[in-house]
């Protein structure tokens, strides 16, 4: 009888161990599958957000260029001051970074270093475009205020010239940067 009891005990212990090992393997493969699916979802979510921002900026930039009557002057130079004025008058699109920011802790698990650097650079460009837009709006308001103040004094021509000269001088370099950044973003210079 003793050998039967030992045999049953060995079979029972073996079955328990086998069940434990199979359960652990199942958990491992489920966790791996979940990790992979989460990574795919996160990559897709961030890619969609990047593409949406690029699409919104493309529509915005197209409307700016369409509103400029001739983008180049007689010397075939781009009219940066006119562009800055047009930018300041048109409402800037809502840009999103929710998917990126809310998942920033998980990003290193699902993206390699170059991808993170590229995406991070893209979002930095979006932030800089927002800052430049705010700068153009403020500079345009200053130009209008100068013209209004001079008009109130009766110096309509001088007020207009001073306001335009000051605006052109203060925005040209920033307008060049804005144009470069928005064109980079529209071309989708990121990897996700």
């Amino acid at each position: 009888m003793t050998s039967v009891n030992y045999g049953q005990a060995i079979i029972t212990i073996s079955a328990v161990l086998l069940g434990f090992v199979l359960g652990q393997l199942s958990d491992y493969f489920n966790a791996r599958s979940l990790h992979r699916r989460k990574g795919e979802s996160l990559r897709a979510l961030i890619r969609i957000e990047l593409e949406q921002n690029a699409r919104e900026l493309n529509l915005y930039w197209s409307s700016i260029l369409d509103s400029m009557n001739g983008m180049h002057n007689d010397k075939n130079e781009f009219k940066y001051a006119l562009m800055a004025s047009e930018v300041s008058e048109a409402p800037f699109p809502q840009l999103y970074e929710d998917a990126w920011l809310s998942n920033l802790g998980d990003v290193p698990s699902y993206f390699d270093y170059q991808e993170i650097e590229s995406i991070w650079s893209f979002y930095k460009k979006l932030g800089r475009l927002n800052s430049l837009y705010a700068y153009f709006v403020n500079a345009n308001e200053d130009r209008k205020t100068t013209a209004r103040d001079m008009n109130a004094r009766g110096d309509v021509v001088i007020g207009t010239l001073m306001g335009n000269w000051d605006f052109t001088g203060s925005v040209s370099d920033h307008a060049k940067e804005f144009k470069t950044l928005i064109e980079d973003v529209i071309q989708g210079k990121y990897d996700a």
Side-chain angles (χ1 to χ4, degrees):
M1 261 298 200
T2 331
S3 64
V4 174
N5 287 342
Y6 286 129
Q8 286 179 339
I10 291 174
I11 291 173
T12 304
I13 291 172
S14 298
V16 168
L17 286 175
L18 182 62
F20 176 75
V21 168
L22 290 176
Q24 291 299 310
L25 283 173
S26 175
D27 288 348
Y28 170 76
F29 287 118
N30 286 339
R32 235 176 94 180
S33 176
L34 179 64
H35 181 77
R36 184 183 47 75
R37 283 193 316 262
K38 184 177 178 184
E40 290 170 357
S41 296
L42 179 60
R43 293 175 79 76
L45 189 61
I46 290 175
R47 181 182 39 76
I48 289 167
E49 186 173 77
L50 295 172
E51 289 171 354
Q52 178 184 1
N53 286 332
R55 204 171 26 257
E56 291 294 324
L57 285 171
N58 187 31
L59 292 171
Y60 176 75
W61 186 238
S62 294
S63 72
I64 296 298
L65 295 178
D66 289 346
S67 66
M68 293 174 61
N69 293 332
M71 293 179 280
H72 298 86
N73 63 16
D74 296 338
K75 298 177 187 174
N76 204 29
E77 298 168 336
F78 191 82
K79 297 179 183 178
Y80 288 103
L82 175 61
M83 182 210 78
S85 177
E86 293 293 331
V87 165
S88 70
E89 296 291 336
F92 201 67
Q94 174 73 39
L95 301 177
Y96 299 95
E97 55 185 14
D98 300 337
W100 173 251
L101 292 177
S102 63
N103 293 293
L104 207 48
D106 291 331
V107 165
S109 300
Y110 302 107
F111 292 89
D112 65 34
Y113 177 78
Q114 289 177 331
E115 291 173 317
I116 294 170
E117 187 175 46
S118 178
I119 295 168
W120 187 274
S121 173
F122 182 88
Y123 281 107
K124 280 177 54 178
K125 288 175 186 178
L126 295 182
R128 183 65 180 149
L129 285 170
N130 270 317
S131 297
L132 289 170
Y133 172 76
Y135 177 80
F136 296 149
V137 169
N138 290 335
N140 198 27
E141 281 302 314
D142 290 347
R143 177 179 64 88
K144 290 176 182 179
T145 301
T146 300
R148 235 184 344 265
D149 290 348
M150 296 305 268
N151 286 343
R153 294 181 192 166
D155 295 330
V156 175
V157 174
I158 292 175
T160 303
L161 289 174
M162 277 184 57
N164 287 340
W165 177 77
D166 189 40
F167 179 77
T168 301
S170 68
V171 300
S172 290
D173 287 338
H174 296 300
K176 289 175 186 174
E177 181 184 4
F178 186 90
K179 182 179 182 291
T180 301
L181 287 173
I182 201 166
E183 288 173 348
D184 279 356
V185 168
I186 289 169
Q187 291 172 6
K189 293 190 176 178
Y190 57 85
D191 297 318

